[in-house]
Amino acid sequence: MQLHCQSDQHQVSRRRWLGTAAAGTAAALPLFDPALHAVALQRSAKQVLFIWLDGGISQLESWDPKPNTEFGGPFRAIPTSVPGIHVSELLPQTAQQMQHLAIVRSLCTEDNAHSSGVDRIQRGDPKNRGVVYPYFGSAVTKLLGPNDSGLPPYVWIKPLSGGFMHKDAGFLGPQYGSLAFGDGKPPQNLLQHPDVSDQQQQERMEIRAFADRRYARGRRPASTDANGFVFSMGLELMQRRQLFDESTFSPADVQRYGTHDLGRHMLLARRMLEAGVQFVKVNSYGWDTHGDNFNGSYSLVRRFDQPFAALISDLAAAGLLDQVLVIAMSEFGRTPRVNGHLGRDHWPEAWSLCMAGAGVRRGIAVGSTSDNGTWVTSEPYDIGHMFHTWFSALGINSRETAWDNQGQPLPIAHEDCHPVSELLL
Amino acid sequence: MSGSRRNSACSGSSLLRLLQLCLPLLAVGCWCCDCVSVSADELAQRIDSLLQQSFTSAQAEPGPVSDDAEFCRRVTLDLIGRIPAASELAAFLGHPDPQRRVLLVEQLLSSPEHSRRMADLFHVMLMERRGDHPEWLGFLRTSFAGQKPWDQLVREILDPQESPEQIRGAAWFITRRLEKVGQQDTDYPGLTRDIGRLFLGCDLQCAQCHDHLTISDYRQIEFQGLYTVYRNTSIRTDVKFPAVAEKPLTKKTDFMSVFDKQPLTVGPRVPFGVEQEIPQYESGREFAVAPDRAKNFPGVPKFRGLQLIAQSLPVSANRRFAENLANRLWFVMFGTGLVNPLDQLHDDNPPTHPEVLAAVADAVTAAGFRIQPILRELALTQAYQRSSAGAASERVLYQYGREKRLSAEQLLASVLTACGDGAVKVAGDSVSEAEQKRAELFVRAFGNIPGEPEFEFSPSLKAALFVLNDPLLQEQLQPGGGNLSERLALIADSGAVAELLYRAVLSRVPDAEEVQFVSDYLGQRADARRRAIGNLIWGLLASTEFCLNH
Amino acid sequence: MQLTGTFRSELRPLAKIPTSCQLSLLRYSSDGSLLLAAGRDGRIHRWRLPSAGLPAPAGDGKTVTAGPAEVLAPWTGHNGWVSSLEISADGQFLVSADTWGRLACRAPSSDSEQPVWEHAEAHAGWLRALAVNANGSCLASCGSDGIVRLWNPADGTLLRQFSAGGQDLYSLACHPDGVRLAVGDLRGGIRIFDLRDGSLLLTWEAAEFYRLSYIQEVGGVRWLAWNGVGSVLAAAGCIPENGGFVQGIPALQLISATDGAVIQQLRLGDNQDGFVHQVLWHPQDYWMGVCSGQPGRGRFFLHRIGAETPFCQNPQPLANCHSVALHPLGRQVAVLANEGTYGQQKSMAREGIYPGNTSPIHIFELPAADPVS
């Protein structure tokens, strides 16, 4: 029986929905709420690449191998470009990029369910305060503020369908949602109509803007702002449509990243980052290997390894690794115990992620697990620690910065957690 | 703040509510229930008086009344699903009768376009963009054309019948939700949840696994008792039209809270209602109509959960049923529910104006769940007629009118009206393939993703790109066939162009600044006047003013 | 698809031998006195049994005893998982392989820890399958690297190698004629080679055994087996519906050796039932196979070619069966199933208590008389 229960999303913030006279805010149109602001921050050139391996990549078949142990599985561990750090043989190319990377092996989190876990992890699993916290991407783009690229700040490259995903933004308001490109394809209607010249387009937009200025007089700006925003975004994307044009991808790149979905999507992600998109999220699905985990990992991990290594290498070569924070993770790890279907089940008790780039130390592996991989033996880190660390890496003071949700101050990361200094420069 | 239910004599303590549900069911459409305090006719006044109280206590003044153009556009969109044609606007603006607003409301309500608008509105509300089906749409259109009361409509949805043929499409509400998606199991919990959300205003999603953590009235039993009925349903495969099969309901559902692990059971039960005993039949005697394996006919059990729900849920004694409709009709007209979100009616989420909700719910019951009289009253309130211009100064809800999202259907009809030849055409029942394609394009561009209710105005990139580049809109701007573009091109005087342009597209008279703007622009583009006119139409169609109801 | 219909004969459970870890393959020695198993702990597990097979349990014939199985010291020397285990027909050679690419050869009755010969890197990476031809002159190996290598079992010299059309070879089966070799791969490809010169004789695609789900390649021809006279090749796998969990319908294709025509396609369950992991020919003219899917799902079945459904399967539920081995006298089989705790349970991991699953061996007596077909 399918369960709908998403136990952490039970609450609807009453502050949002009670159109209280005193607050004077229109509860039904929560866009661009003027009362909502964070502490002002300097404009930053920092960017983020967030690779989400949906379903739970097995840490034992990737970042924290335990060959020849009871639950180690069939694969070997291989040395990396950093002496003393080994990864699974399924990451041969990433192993050669280890000098740029930081592995965290000591994640220990609460939730072992996908439906709630994915959300909790991506929202930083804050304390329950009756508000819906934003996804990491929405939070970052809000905190960093717009950069000069003119492109949508938070882009999501994923298989299947695309569209504007406003739910990511939580209480920040829908405009901080992500713009998803289904299968990395550009949105429909990206090409200017052949009968409409650039000049005409410009005139049309001026007329539209005139009409909106006139309409907005005496009204709250939420609607005209939101509408204007999507039109500008549309025009900007139209101008940048060659970003999506696969014929402009170099064949050598296509070869190096791989022609499979994740390869193509990671290559598009690199182009987005090069063009200045502030936060790029890439999703890969199918990692929930409850069955046939080892053949599954053989396919999945290697197909992640190829484009991930290419991308790290390319970012490093272009000098972008100093300003781009790269994170690759899932919602939890997988059980040491192998089940009857030769799969591994969910294991939030001890798992790993990989990060690199802006503000992060390079060539390290932080944290350790027991010999058989069942438990974290060093200081365990919850996702809150990671959020603190990532915000810090981006130059945001994670402990002093707070959201202001209609007068309600909210920590940007779980207040019981702290940045992991070992990971930071 | 006490909930509306506690004020009205019809409800009250939950014990009283229980007793009422135990009573033999009264005839539907309780016209003369003594405990109802407001009849449909007095509703408008009652609402305004209650709202005035809220203004007074906040020391606020209601905003100004909308002008005729603003009102005409608003009510036309709300009641017949499109903007008024320029000629209709002119007729209204020039109408001598001081009661012209009342007359307009009544004229719109009796127009054949009204029932089509209602069908579209409830299609979106009930199916939430999960596609469409000709029999389902036919069911809705026929129902609203015949002014079918809401309780009867809901009954036909909850317990769909094979005949008469024009109502059998109601089954699609259930069968669509029973269709499997990919590898997932049939989503019985999703269907159960939607019954609660859409017909009772209660989202019991989080009560599936345990009593709701924060809402005390949503207990696990509310979900599980309803689920007992729906887990027995399936799609009939022996017929080509949408139809629901039921297995004999023989045993209760076992459930357990994920928190306290106490095993419990429940039989079929309307949420917040009374559990029904399951009659036991000898094996082989549970069917009123026996199944026929050869024909794949599933049979009709004697005891049917769907019948039970249909008999017990959409009734006047079920206060939540009336409140849900009241709240949703209010939302349609005012752009916000008295309770928000629309599917969170419960004691810990009180209405912003409990007495208003009570009044509307009473009127809904008194009107026998007929929707038109309620819409009429809501349209005739002073609150509905307030201008939304100046809403930035609003301190108290309903001081000003508010913006409302337009559906894809309303947008398409409005674009066609604005850009067309000015004659008013009523959409017939049969739809050409071209019209069908157009409708699909608009839904794709402006509709939400399946399963997501369309409450707020959330402009999307997809919609912006559609407006910017899609050939469909560009075609509308090409002069030809006496359309707006062509007629405007034939007008020499720029002022007159501005006049017709604004009346046709934005349903109002342009002000001096706007006339000047149009004149200046046409003056600059004298070499390409036709194209310039197209640009002007586009600019107004793409404006926020056009794509909202305000 | 549920298996329906009554089974006309019954398997009689004789014994259940507990094991200390998960195992993947079972083999009887050629005299039936030893039972050997490839362990997922990198060891070759061994038991001594009475050569004639296990006696029937006393009493009601339903209760199963552990049986008089003497546990012998496991052979070490492999790494990762022991992935393949084969014994030559004459019983001289026991060859074993592991997922790190090592290939080793021992005398089955020897107690020596050391193999007679071994190659640490017989293949690059996972060595998936081994096969020894009928006269014991040739040992074939294959694996992830896509190469088939032929060795002399006596001393391990490499006789020949050839590519088998790509990567990720999963299964091997030597034809009774000693000359032909069937090779199956991840993508449903089945090829027949001539061992004498490595030439490709036949090739066909069992496309239904493969699916690309997002970026995961799912499926594979998991096992190949010839019938007694070598006229029919059985290919075992599943029809994958998705990756991740891996849901798939267990499938068996019976193929004519002469022209590759599919004689029969069997579906052995629903999409929770997973893979047919192994299939074996019984001299009484029927196939035996094992299936394993979602935890708790599995079966051991007997199937006569041409029949709609298997004529016999495990009498009690048997979870996750991965291997079946036939006692040389042909009347008893040993089946590997899975047993253990629910995977996601934390147990008392922090205190060091975290038991893994095991693969108990179930020994059955096969139906004695020829079942009515």
Side-chain angles (χ1 to χ4, degrees), chain A residues 59 105-112 332-336 346-351 369 373-377 380-381, chain C residues 344-346 349-350 354:
Chain A
Q59 71 284 2
R105 291 180 170 143
S106 45
L107 290 172
C108 179
T109 52
E110 290 284 308
D111 208 321
N112 71 356
F332 36 61
R334 305 208 78 84
T335 54
H346 305 165
W347 197 245
E349 280 75 18
W351 53 292
T369 50
T374 52
W375 216 260
V376 171
T377 49
Y381 295 131
Chain C
Q344 232 149 266
Q345 258 184 20
K346 293 188 203 183
R350 207 195 273 279
Y354 187 78

mmCIF file of all heavy atoms in Angstrom, chain A residues 59 105-112 332-336 346-351 369 373-377 380-381, chain C residues 344-346 349-350 354:
data_model
loop_
_atom_site.group_PDB
_atom_site.id
_atom_site.type_symbol
_atom_site.label_atom_id
_atom_site.label_comp_id
_atom_site.label_asym_id
_atom_site.label_seq_id
_atom_site.Cartn_x
_atom_site.Cartn_y
_atom_site.Cartn_z
ATOM 1 N N GLN A 59 27.499 3.583 -0.218
ATOM 2 C CA GLN A 59 28.811 4.098 0.169
ATOM 3 C C GLN A 59 29.846 2.987 0.113
ATOM 4 O O GLN A 59 31.031 3.268 -0.121
ATOM 5 C CB GLN A 59 28.749 4.724 1.579
ATOM 6 C CG GLN A 59 28.591 3.758 2.723
ATOM 7 C CD GLN A 59 27.171 3.205 2.854
ATOM 8 O OE1 GLN A 59 26.287 3.521 2.062
ATOM 9 N NE2 GLN A 59 26.961 2.370 3.862
ATOM 10 N N ARG A 105 32.815 10.661 5.287
ATOM 11 C CA ARG A 105 32.374 9.272 5.473
ATOM 12 C C ARG A 105 31.535 9.089 6.729
ATOM 13 O O ARG A 105 31.109 7.975 7.015
ATOM 14 C CB ARG A 105 33.578 8.341 5.557
ATOM 15 C CG ARG A 105 34.309 8.204 4.234
ATOM 16 C CD ARG A 105 35.483 7.285 4.335
ATOM 17 N NE ARG A 105 36.016 7.000 3.003
ATOM 18 C CZ ARG A 105 37.299 6.867 2.731
ATOM 19 N NH1 ARG A 105 38.194 6.992 3.701
ATOM 20 N NH2 ARG A 105 37.698 6.600 1.503
ATOM 21 N N SER A 106 31.329 10.156 7.460
ATOM 22 C CA SER A 106 30.723 10.004 8.782
ATOM 23 C C SER A 106 29.355 10.643 8.887
ATOM 24 O O SER A 106 28.992 11.206 9.908
ATOM 25 C CB SER A 106 31.663 10.607 9.825
ATOM 26 O OG SER A 106 32.143 11.858 9.375
ATOM 27 N N LEU A 107 28.576 10.563 7.828
ATOM 28 C CA LEU A 107 27.220 11.090 7.912
ATOM 29 C C LEU A 107 26.353 10.119 8.692
ATOM 30 O O LEU A 107 26.419 8.907 8.467
ATOM 31 C CB LEU A 107 26.641 11.283 6.517
ATOM 32 C CG LEU A 107 27.283 12.417 5.717
ATOM 33 C CD1 LEU A 107 26.774 12.389 4.286
ATOM 34 C CD2 LEU A 107 26.956 13.751 6.354
ATOM 35 N N CYS A 108 25.549 10.657 9.577
ATOM 36 C CA CYS A 108 24.630 9.837 10.371
ATOM 37 C C CYS A 108 23.350 10.641 10.518
ATOM 38 O O CYS A 108 23.336 11.661 11.207
ATOM 39 C CB CYS A 108 25.251 9.516 11.728
ATOM 40 S SG CYS A 108 24.184 8.530 12.786
ATOM 41 N N THR A 109 22.319 10.257 9.819
ATOM 42 C CA THR A 109 21.090 11.061 9.801
ATOM 43 C C THR A 109 19.904 10.230 10.261
ATOM 44 O O THR A 109 20.015 9.041 10.515
ATOM 45 C CB THR A 109 20.826 11.605 8.386
ATOM 46 O OG1 THR A 109 20.872 10.516 7.459
ATOM 47 C CG2 THR A 109 21.866 12.635 8.003
ATOM 48 N N GLU A 110 18.752 10.901 10.365
ATOM 49 C CA GLU A 110 17.575 10.301 11.008
ATOM 50 C C GLU A 110 16.735 9.430 10.098
ATOM 51 O O GLU A 110 16.174 8.439 10.506
ATOM 52 C CB GLU A 110 16.655 11.444 11.463
ATOM 53 C CG GLU A 110 17.182 12.251 12.612
ATOM 54 C CD GLU A 110 17.035 11.489 13.887
ATOM 55 O OE1 GLU A 110 15.924 11.031 14.160
ATOM 56 O OE2 GLU A 110 18.041 11.321 14.582
ATOM 57 N N ASP A 111 16.546 9.901 8.882
ATOM 58 C CA ASP A 111 15.406 9.411 8.118
ATOM 59 C C ASP A 111 15.806 8.320 7.141
ATOM 60 O O ASP A 111 16.686 8.513 6.314
ATOM 61 C CB ASP A 111 14.813 10.595 7.332
ATOM 62 C CG ASP A 111 13.335 10.397 7.081
ATOM 63 O OD1 ASP A 111 12.932 9.252 6.806
ATOM 64 O OD2 ASP A 111 12.600 11.391 7.157
ATOM 65 N N ASN A 112 15.121 7.173 7.207
ATOM 66 C CA ASN A 112 15.460 6.118 6.255
ATOM 67 C C ASN A 112 14.379 5.929 5.189
ATOM 68 O O ASN A 112 14.327 4.903 4.525
ATOM 69 C CB ASN A 112 15.729 4.788 6.985
ATOM 70 C CG ASN A 112 14.454 4.190 7.558
ATOM 71 O OD1 ASN A 112 13.379 4.783 7.490
ATOM 72 N ND2 ASN A 112 14.573 3.016 8.133
ATOM 73 N N PHE A 332 20.496 8.993 1.757
ATOM 74 C CA PHE A 332 21.096 8.139 2.779
ATOM 75 C C PHE A 332 21.987 7.142 2.082
ATOM 76 O O PHE A 332 22.125 7.178 0.845
ATOM 77 C CB PHE A 332 20.042 7.400 3.637
ATOM 78 C CG PHE A 332 18.798 6.960 2.905
ATOM 79 C CD1 PHE A 332 18.847 6.068 1.835
ATOM 80 C CD2 PHE A 332 17.551 7.437 3.297
ATOM 81 C CE1 PHE A 332 17.702 5.677 1.167
ATOM 82 C CE2 PHE A 332 16.392 7.038 2.632
ATOM 83 C CZ PHE A 332 16.471 6.166 1.568
ATOM 84 N N GLY A 333 22.613 6.287 2.849
ATOM 85 C CA GLY A 333 23.473 5.267 2.264
ATOM 86 C C GLY A 333 22.744 3.932 2.226
ATOM 87 O O GLY A 333 21.510 3.879 2.336
ATOM 88 N N ARG A 334 23.520 2.850 2.110
ATOM 89 C CA ARG A 334 22.893 1.544 1.996
ATOM 90 C C ARG A 334 23.442 0.579 3.037
ATOM 91 O O ARG A 334 24.575 0.716 3.497
ATOM 92 C CB ARG A 334 23.075 0.990 0.585
ATOM 93 C CG ARG A 334 22.572 1.945 -0.478
ATOM 94 C CD ARG A 334 22.102 1.247 -1.726
ATOM 95 N NE ARG A 334 20.780 0.667 -1.542
ATOM 96 C CZ ARG A 334 19.630 1.327 -1.677
ATOM 97 N NH1 ARG A 334 19.632 2.603 -2.014
ATOM 98 N NH2 ARG A 334 18.485 0.716 -1.485
ATOM 99 N N THR A 335 22.607 -0.384 3.401
ATOM 100 C CA THR A 335 22.962 -1.262 4.509
ATOM 101 C C THR A 335 24.196 -2.089 4.203
ATOM 102 O O THR A 335 24.374 -2.566 3.082
ATOM 103 C CB THR A 335 21.839 -2.260 4.822
ATOM 104 O OG1 THR A 335 21.492 -2.955 3.622
ATOM 105 C CG2 THR A 335 20.622 -1.579 5.401
ATOM 106 N N PRO A 336 25.019 -2.281 5.205
ATOM 107 C CA PRO A 336 26.083 -3.263 5.044
ATOM 108 C C PRO A 336 25.512 -4.657 4.751
ATOM 109 O O PRO A 336 25.960 -5.333 3.832
ATOM 110 C CB PRO A 336 26.804 -3.229 6.394
ATOM 111 C CG PRO A 336 26.494 -1.891 6.958
ATOM 112 C CD PRO A 336 25.113 -1.557 6.471
ATOM 113 N N HIS A 346 18.164 0.595 3.036
ATOM 114 C CA HIS A 346 18.528 1.971 3.406
ATOM 115 C C HIS A 346 19.353 2.013 4.680
ATOM 116 O O HIS A 346 19.051 1.304 5.636
ATOM 117 C CB HIS A 346 17.275 2.814 3.645
ATOM 118 C CG HIS A 346 16.334 2.821 2.488
ATOM 119 N ND1 HIS A 346 15.043 3.258 2.592
ATOM 120 C CD2 HIS A 346 16.491 2.446 1.200
ATOM 121 C CE1 HIS A 346 14.440 3.146 1.424
ATOM 122 N NE2 HIS A 346 15.282 2.657 0.560
ATOM 123 N N TRP A 347 20.323 2.919 4.702
ATOM 124 C CA TRP A 347 21.175 2.993 5.896
ATOM 125 C C TRP A 347 21.602 4.428 6.145
ATOM 126 O O TRP A 347 22.669 4.863 5.692
ATOM 127 C CB TRP A 347 22.390 2.089 5.694
ATOM 128 C CG TRP A 347 23.127 1.762 6.961
ATOM 129 C CD1 TRP A 347 24.392 2.117 7.288
ATOM 130 C CD2 TRP A 347 22.661 0.976 8.060
ATOM 131 N NE1 TRP A 347 24.748 1.612 8.519
ATOM 132 C CE2 TRP A 347 23.692 0.898 9.026
ATOM 133 C CE3 TRP A 347 21.444 0.327 8.346
ATOM 134 C CZ2 TRP A 347 23.562 0.207 10.232
ATOM 135 C CZ3 TRP A 347 21.320 -0.371 9.534
ATOM 136 C CH2 TRP A 347 22.372 -0.417 10.469
ATOM 137 N N PRO A 348 20.774 5.173 6.889
ATOM 138 C CA PRO A 348 21.181 6.536 7.217
ATOM 139 C C PRO A 348 22.192 6.588 8.360
ATOM 140 O O PRO A 348 22.744 7.642 8.651
ATOM 141 C CB PRO A 348 19.862 7.199 7.634
ATOM 142 C CG PRO A 348 18.987 6.084 8.096
ATOM 143 C CD PRO A 348 19.399 4.864 7.345
ATOM 144 N N GLU A 349 22.440 5.446 8.977
ATOM 145 C CA GLU A 349 23.295 5.436 10.169
ATOM 146 C C GLU A 349 24.767 5.704 9.890
ATOM 147 O O GLU A 349 25.494 6.161 10.751
ATOM 148 C CB GLU A 349 23.166 4.078 10.886
ATOM 149 C CG GLU A 349 21.925 3.931 11.748
ATOM 150 C CD GLU A 349 20.661 3.707 10.945
ATOM 151 O OE1 GLU A 349 20.746 3.327 9.768
ATOM 152 O OE2 GLU A 349 19.559 3.907 11.504
ATOM 153 N N ALA A 350 25.191 5.377 8.701
ATOM 154 C CA ALA A 350 26.605 5.610 8.369
ATOM 155 C C ALA A 350 26.721 5.679 6.863
ATOM 156 O O ALA A 350 26.570 4.670 6.183
ATOM 157 C CB ALA A 350 27.476 4.472 8.903
ATOM 158 N N TRP A 351 26.942 6.858 6.356
ATOM 159 C CA TRP A 351 27.040 6.999 4.910
ATOM 160 C C TRP A 351 27.943 8.146 4.527
ATOM 161 O O TRP A 351 28.499 8.824 5.377
ATOM 162 C CB TRP A 351 25.654 7.144 4.270
ATOM 163 C CG TRP A 351 24.743 8.207 4.785
ATOM 164 C CD1 TRP A 351 24.143 8.239 6.017
ATOM 165 C CD2 TRP A 351 24.276 9.354 4.083
ATOM 166 N NE1 TRP A 351 23.347 9.355 6.132
ATOM 167 C CE2 TRP A 351 23.400 10.039 4.944
ATOM 168 C CE3 TRP A 351 24.501 9.883 2.797
ATOM 169 C CZ2 TRP A 351 22.743 11.220 4.577
ATOM 170 C CZ3 TRP A 351 23.836 11.057 2.423
ATOM 171 C CH2 TRP A 351 22.969 11.716 3.325
ATOM 172 N N THR A 369 34.251 5.011 9.537
ATOM 173 C CA THR A 369 33.218 4.068 9.957
ATOM 174 C C THR A 369 33.888 2.807 10.483
ATOM 175 O O THR A 369 35.080 2.589 10.263
ATOM 176 C CB THR A 369 32.304 3.708 8.771
ATOM 177 O OG1 THR A 369 33.124 3.344 7.656
ATOM 178 C CG2 THR A 369 31.422 4.877 8.384
ATOM 179 N N GLY A 373 31.599 -1.341 8.430
ATOM 180 C CA GLY A 373 30.811 -0.285 7.801
ATOM 181 C C GLY A 373 29.471 0.004 8.445
ATOM 182 O O GLY A 373 28.670 0.756 7.891
ATOM 183 N N THR A 374 29.203 -0.539 9.616
ATOM 184 C CA THR A 374 27.868 -0.375 10.185
ATOM 185 C C THR A 374 27.682 0.916 10.952
ATOM 186 O O THR A 374 26.558 1.411 11.055
ATOM 187 C CB THR A 374 27.533 -1.529 11.142
ATOM 188 O OG1 THR A 374 28.607 -1.653 12.075
ATOM 189 C CG2 THR A 374 27.345 -2.829 10.389
ATOM 190 N N TRP A 375 28.718 1.445 11.514
ATOM 191 C CA TRP A 375 28.530 2.617 12.364
ATOM 192 C C TRP A 375 29.637 3.638 12.154
ATOM 193 O O TRP A 375 30.722 3.306 11.718
ATOM 194 C CB TRP A 375 28.498 2.178 13.842
ATOM 195 C CG TRP A 375 27.526 3.009 14.617
ATOM 196 C CD1 TRP A 375 27.809 4.062 15.423
ATOM 197 C CD2 TRP A 375 26.104 2.867 14.615
ATOM 198 N NE1 TRP A 375 26.657 4.596 15.941
ATOM 199 C CE2 TRP A 375 25.587 3.886 15.456
ATOM 200 C CE3 TRP A 375 25.208 1.997 13.983
ATOM 201 C CZ2 TRP A 375 24.215 4.053 15.690
ATOM 202 C CZ3 TRP A 375 23.852 2.160 14.213
ATOM 203 C CH2 TRP A 375 23.374 3.186 15.058
ATOM 204 N N VAL A 376 29.328 4.891 12.486
ATOM 205 C CA VAL A 376 30.329 5.942 12.405
ATOM 206 C C VAL A 376 31.168 5.906 13.671
ATOM 207 O O VAL A 376 30.631 5.917 14.781
ATOM 208 C CB VAL A 376 29.646 7.320 12.263
ATOM 209 C CG1 VAL A 376 30.660 8.445 12.386
ATOM 210 C CG2 VAL A 376 28.905 7.413 10.938
ATOM 211 N N THR A 377 32.467 5.857 13.509
ATOM 212 C CA THR A 377 33.334 5.765 14.682
ATOM 213 C C THR A 377 33.945 7.112 15.066
ATOM 214 O O THR A 377 34.402 7.297 16.170
ATOM 215 C CB THR A 377 34.474 4.766 14.437
ATOM 216 O OG1 THR A 377 35.075 5.069 13.166
ATOM 217 C CG2 THR A 377 33.956 3.336 14.405
ATOM 218 N N PRO A 380 29.935 11.888 14.452
ATOM 219 C CA PRO A 380 28.932 11.751 13.391
ATOM 220 C C PRO A 380 28.379 13.114 12.977
ATOM 221 O O PRO A 380 28.200 14.002 13.816
ATOM 222 C CB PRO A 380 27.839 10.901 14.054
ATOM 223 C CG PRO A 380 28.009 11.089 15.508
ATOM 224 C CD PRO A 380 29.416 11.500 15.765
ATOM 225 N N TYR A 381 28.102 13.265 11.711
ATOM 226 C CA TYR A 381 27.566 14.524 11.210
ATOM 227 C C TYR A 381 26.170 14.321 10.666
ATOM 228 O O TYR A 381 25.923 13.407 9.888
ATOM 229 C CB TYR A 381 28.460 15.092 10.103
ATOM 230 C CG TYR A 381 29.839 15.475 10.592
ATOM 231 C CD1 TYR A 381 30.983 15.055 9.914
ATOM 232 C CD2 TYR A 381 30.004 16.238 11.746
ATOM 233 C CE1 TYR A 381 32.243 15.396 10.373
ATOM 234 C CE2 TYR A 381 31.259 16.582 12.213
ATOM 235 C CZ TYR A 381 32.371 16.146 11.528
ATOM 236 O OH TYR A 381 33.613 16.461 11.982
ATOM 237 N N GLN C 344 16.928 -3.602 6.788
ATOM 238 C CA GLN C 344 17.112 -2.238 7.267
ATOM 239 C C GLN C 344 17.190 -2.150 8.784
ATOM 240 O O GLN C 344 17.464 -1.101 9.320
ATOM 241 C CB GLN C 344 15.942 -1.375 6.782
ATOM 242 C CG GLN C 344 16.369 -0.127 6.068
ATOM 243 C CD GLN C 344 15.374 0.274 5.014
ATOM 244 O OE1 GLN C 344 15.505 -0.079 3.854
ATOM 245 N NE2 GLN C 344 14.354 1.027 5.404
ATOM 246 N N GLN C 345 16.950 -3.274 9.448
ATOM 247 C CA GLN C 345 16.998 -3.236 10.902
ATOM 248 C C GLN C 345 18.376 -2.851 11.382
ATOM 249 O O GLN C 345 19.379 -3.368 10.906
ATOM 250 C CB GLN C 345 16.681 -4.623 11.457
ATOM 251 C CG GLN C 345 15.279 -4.749 11.980
ATOM 252 C CD GLN C 345 15.078 -6.112 12.597
ATOM 253 O OE1 GLN C 345 16.043 -6.771 12.939
ATOM 254 N NE2 GLN C 345 13.853 -6.524 12.714
ATOM 255 N N LYS C 346 18.405 -1.965 12.344
ATOM 256 C CA LYS C 346 19.707 -1.545 12.862
ATOM 257 C C LYS C 346 20.327 -2.656 13.701
ATOM 258 O O LYS C 346 21.519 -2.652 13.957
ATOM 259 C CB LYS C 346 19.551 -0.319 13.756
ATOM 260 C CG LYS C 346 19.115 0.925 13.034
ATOM 261 C CD LYS C 346 19.172 2.127 13.975
ATOM 262 C CE LYS C 346 18.235 3.213 13.479
ATOM 263 N NZ LYS C 346 18.304 4.412 14.319
ATOM 264 N N ALA C 349 23.747 -2.588 15.972
ATOM 265 C CA ALA C 349 24.980 -2.390 15.216
ATOM 266 C C ALA C 349 26.015 -1.635 16.014
ATOM 267 O O ALA C 349 27.203 -1.917 15.951
ATOM 268 C CB ALA C 349 24.673 -1.672 13.915
ATOM 269 N N ARG C 350 25.523 -0.662 16.781
ATOM 270 C CA ARG C 350 26.473 0.147 17.537
ATOM 271 C C ARG C 350 27.201 -0.706 18.571
ATOM 272 O O ARG C 350 28.342 -0.446 18.899
ATOM 273 C CB ARG C 350 25.747 1.298 18.238
ATOM 274 C CG ARG C 350 26.625 2.501 18.472
ATOM 275 C CD ARG C 350 25.996 3.450 19.472
ATOM 276 N NE ARG C 350 25.096 4.418 18.868
ATOM 277 C CZ ARG C 350 25.508 5.537 18.278
ATOM 278 N NH1 ARG C 350 26.771 5.813 18.186
ATOM 279 N NH2 ARG C 350 24.637 6.375 17.772
ATOM 280 N N TYR C 354 25.291 -7.224 14.572
ATOM 281 C CA TYR C 354 24.672 -6.934 13.284
ATOM 282 C C TYR C 354 24.822 -8.157 12.398
ATOM 283 O O TYR C 354 25.736 -8.245 11.586
ATOM 284 C CB TYR C 354 25.364 -5.708 12.668
ATOM 285 C CG TYR C 354 24.728 -5.192 11.402
ATOM 286 C CD1 TYR C 354 23.579 -4.416 11.429
ATOM 287 C CD2 TYR C 354 25.303 -5.467 10.164
ATOM 288 C CE1 TYR C 354 23.011 -3.929 10.260
ATOM 289 C CE2 TYR C 354 24.741 -4.989 8.986
ATOM 290 C CZ TYR C 354 23.599 -4.222 9.040
ATOM 291 O OH TYR C 354 23.039 -3.744 7.884
#
